[in-house]
Amino acid sequence: MDSNFCISDFVKDLDTKCSKVQKKTFHKGEIITSYIAKRNQLCILLSGEADLVRYDYNGNRTIVEHFNTNDIFGEIFYPVSTNNELLVEAKDNSSVLFFIYDDIKMKCKNNCSFHNNLLINLPGLFLNEIIDLNMRIELLSKRTIRDKLLGYFTIISARNMSKSFRIPFSLTDLADYLSIDRSAMMRELKTLKEEGFIEKSGNRMTLLY
């Protein structure tokens, strides 16, 4: 997600002044947060990578979103209306800012610049999150595994401004993210490679179209 947030400046203010936010660190594999009703939590990923993961009644796992540094997430974007569990898992050692949305709307006692700038930039941050969510809806609406893969590769290529890029997932996680069967996805990747659409080495992908 692209934004005008200057994270380093904000963290400097947070460490010395702001009383409305918390900064926490997590090791790879740890649960950063779970989405529960009525907490209205909002988070910014300062460093590392994380996945928003859903487990359904049968224990099936779906990656709903992938987060990189400076991305925003939290349960305010996903009102809890089912018993499906939503968790944010650290995919690398990560640091995160935690807010309660209702607290953000009120000035902290120190009237810090971090808090004021957050309020100013919040609409832009929300807009970027909506764009990311719309992108995911578009991917999931594609009917075939090929269309989902090529659609996803095209998006990642555009974000990196390069035909060659690293997929931020293992192949198992990529299948979970695109909601497709892993074995069928592997067959389609092999076909795309044979037909000259892609080159692949590990999680490094190069588009040839």
Side-chain angles (χ1 to χ4, degrees):
M1 177 190 70
D2 294 324
S3 75
N4 293 322
F5 247 5
C6 182
I7 292 295
S8 60
D9 288 345
F10 281 179
V11 172
K12 185 189 305 180
D13 285 335
L14 166 66
D15 288 341
T16 59
K17 299 176 184 178
C18 190
S19 62
K20 293 292 186 179
V21 298
Q22 290 183 305
K23 179 183 176 183
K24 299 180 181 179
T25 58
F26 300 87
H27 296 295
K28 179 179 180 180
E30 284 191 302
I31 302 300
I32 293 175
T33 187
S34 60
Y35 289 5
I36 60 177
K38 299 181 180 179
R39 187 171 54 177
N40 287 332
Q41 191 177 69
L42 179 66
C43 309
I44 297 177
L45 186 64
L46 297 179
S47 64
E49 298 183 17
D51 288 336
L52 175 61
V53 178
R54 173 185 284 115
Y55 293 93
D56 65 16
Y57 299 102
N58 298 315
N60 297 314
R61 178 176 182 267
T62 300
I63 296 177
V64 179
E65 289 189 82
H66 179 75
F67 305 118
N68 294 300
T69 298
N70 294 2
D71 277 348
I72 188 171
F73 59 92
E75 61 202 32
I76 62 169
F77 299 109
Y78 288 88
V80 178
S81 57
T82 72
N83 290 327
N84 290 353
E85 190 172 13
L86 284 165
L87 304 171
V88 179
E89 301 176 349
K91 302 300 292 183
D92 199 352
N93 293 337
S94 304
S95 60
V96 181
L97 291 184
F98 290 85
F99 315 80
I100 301 300
Y101 181 68
D102 294 337
D103 289 342
I104 294 175
K105 294 182 289 185
M106 299 181 292
K107 289 184 177 181
C108 72
K109 61 184 180 183
N110 297 314
N111 195 28
C112 69
S113 59
F114 179 96
H115 202 89
N116 293 336
N117 287 332
L118 176 62
L119 286 169
I120 292 170
N121 283 278
L122 209 55
L125 289 172
F126 280 12
L127 178 60
N128 282 326
E129 176 63 13
I130 292 169
I131 291 171
D132 286 346
L133 291 174
N134 286 339
M135 177 206 75
R136 173 137 176 86
I137 291 171
E138 182 180 350
L139 280 176
L140 294 180
S141 68
K142 295 183 181 298
R143 294 182 180 274
T144 68
I145 293 175
R146 172 173 289 213
D147 286 345
K148 287 183 177 182
L149 286 169
L150 293 180
Y152 177 71
F153 295 158
T154 299
I155 289 169
I156 300 301
S157 175
R159 285 184 172 180
N160 287 273
M161 294 184 290
S162 173
K163 291 280 189 177
S164 182
F165 50 86
R166 183 184 69 86
I167 300 173
F169 293 116
S170 68
L171 292 177
T172 298
D173 285 352
L174 178 60
D176 287 342
Y177 180 72
L178 296 176
S179 295
I180 54 182
D181 178 77
R182 185 183 186 280
S183 296
M185 183 190 75
M186 295 300 296
R187 290 194 295 272
E188 189 60 51
L189 284 172
K190 181 180 179 182
T191 300
L192 288 171
K193 186 175 180 179
E194 290 174 345
E195 293 180 357
F197 283 91
I198 62 172
E199 288 183 354
K200 180 180 173 300
S201 177
N203 65 350
R204 171 67 57 176
M205 192 74 59
T206 301
L207 304 185
L208 303 177
Y209 58 90

